Amino acid sequence: MSLRKSFPPTEVHEIDGRGSEVTYLTLSQVARRLFSSRAGKPVHVNTVTRWVLEGARLRNGPRLRLRGTRLPGRWVVEPEAVEAFPRALPAPRYAG
């Protein structure tokens, strides 16, 4: 029996309710696009999943969620949401 690996497409295209095509990124693509503050290590895909489902805690208490869309079998994010999410987060505070 041979196993066939399933590779996600580089971009997911869907038709929205108005008939226009929308391009989405998979969560692994989002993780590769974002910069990490952990000595150059990439953001883990589970971190991106947590940002979609639970959000990132802001300093004053509320959570900021990465706007994602659930498709059959996967979460996807619009490129515009990926660009807006880091800008909406406050700058990190460094002890020192």
Side-chain angles (χ1 to χ4, degrees), residues 10-92:
T10 56
E11 294 179 336
V12 179
H13 299 283
E14 289 284 316
I15 305 296
D16 68 358
R18 295 175 295 237
S20 60
E21 186 176 73
V22 180
T23 300
Y24 294 107
L25 300 171
T26 63
L27 296 188
S28 60
Q29 291 170 328
V30 172
R32 286 191 296 266
R33 281 186 173 207
L34 295 175
F35 292 104
S36 174
S37 62
R38 301 179 314 123
K41 294 180 183 177
V43 174
H44 198 276
V45 70
N46 287 343
T47 302
V48 178
T49 305
R50 186 173 62 246
W51 289 340
V52 170
L53 297 176
E54 301 171 15
R57 188 181 305 263
L58 301 176
R59 287 191 191 132
N60 56 358
R63 292 187 171 268
L64 176 68
R65 290 180 58 186
L66 177 60
R67 193 175 63 242
T69 302
R70 181 71 176 162
L71 295 180
R74 71 174 73 191
W75 281 97
V76 292
V77 178
E78 291 183 27
E80 295 81 23
V82 175
E83 294 171 9
F85 184 73
R87 286 183 292 192
L89 293 173

